[in-house]
Amino acid sequence: MRRVRALPVVASTLLAATALSGCGIRATTVPVDVGPAPSRVSCDTPAQPSGQNGVQGFRATVELVCGSQLVGVERVIPVPEKRAGLKDPVALVAQALLEALEKPLSAQERDAGFTTGVPDQLMAEAPRAGDPAGTVRLSRKPEDLPPVALSQLVCTLAGNETISAGPGRPVTLGGPDTDPPRTWECTDAVRSRPESVPTLGEIARPSASPVATAK
């Protein structure tokens, strides 16, 4: 590797000031504390037990955040109990996955660098009359969720065959209001940059409604 000889302190300071002023950024001679360099994380997914002490459940991959990206972690998800007024099978599976995303991480997961941004008390609700098949209504509008949380939710639901039509297929989410649901995709861009707003698809219309075609 080629070594560059260090410039004297005064000369390097003048060069930095000139470069900054040319970019429209005010130079400063006051030292700035930017904090320690970010620590590296392993993002090693811990092995999951085959069962949970006799509790019935199903295996699923939940998307957690590690190294500023989404990383799938396999877990055994307890079968959700039917809540009052919630009998839709898709909503029940979505509720179980939501609870897995909200659940505090294990010490092993935290040590490996995993975090989750899904807020507590976010719940799945039954679809409304006229919603497309497979629609998951949430107790909050998807657009109002933190971008990282929405990315985690979209990619977790998209990876479940009960909710998504297949791997990589979009999921249809709506809020508690009367606004029509929308389709959301788990793309490579979403997985690599979960802090950005996930790809927003077309407004999901009732399946019985005619679809206009361009002529």
Side-chain angles (χ1 to χ4, degrees):
M1 182 180 294
R2 184 180 179 183
R3 295 182 178 273
V4 180
R5 187 175 182 180
L7 294 174
V9 175
V10 175
S12 61
T13 302
L14 290 175
L15 287 174
T18 302
L20 289 174
S21 61
C23 297
I25 303 175
R26 179 180 296 177
T28 176
T29 58
V30 179
V32 178
D33 182 10
V34 295
S39 59
R40 294 185 178 182
V41 292
S42 67
C43 295
D44 291 333
T45 55
Q48 295 298 311
S50 58
Q52 294 186 341
N53 298 325
V55 177
Q56 187 179 6
F58 62 96
R59 284 192 174 273
T61 299
V62 297
E63 299 291 340
L64 302 178
V65 182
C66 191
S68 300
Q69 299 182 9
L70 293 187
V71 178
V73 177
E74 186 176 342
R75 285 183 174 175
V76 177
I77 311 297
V79 174
E81 297 181 1
K82 292 185 178 180
R83 295 202 323 260
L86 185 62
K87 299 180 180 179
D88 181 74
V90 173
L92 286 171
V93 172
Q95 176 63 32
L97 294 173
L98 271 174
E99 292 175 1
L101 288 170
E102 297 168 355
K103 183 180 178 181
L105 304 183
S106 66
Q108 189 176 3
E109 290 170 336
R110 293 195 304 270
D111 291 343
F114 289 97
T115 62
T116 180
V118 178
D120 294 336
Q121 306 303 319
L122 181 63
M123 296 185 296
E125 299 181 353
R128 296 178 179 273
D131 283 348
T135 296
V136 175
R137 289 276 180 176
L138 302 174
S139 55
R140 290 176 58 181
K141 294 180 64 173
E143 299 89 338
D144 293 341
L145 293 173
V148 171
L150 183 54
S151 297
Q152 286 184 253
L153 178 58
V154 167
C155 288
T156 297
L157 297 182
N160 186 274
E161 61 183 8
T162 301
I163 299 173
S164 175
R169 299 294 297 274
V171 294
T172 305
L173 303 177
D177 51 23
T178 58
D179 289 347
R182 297 174 182 268
T183 55
W184 304 81
E185 294 180 285
C186 178
T187 63
D188 291 340
V190 171
R191 296 185 61 85
S192 62
R193 298 187 59 188
E195 76 283 355
S196 62
V197 178
T199 302
L200 176 60
E202 297 292 330
I203 295 177
R205 298 176 175 84
S207 56
S209 300
V211 179
T213 58
K215 295 183 179 180

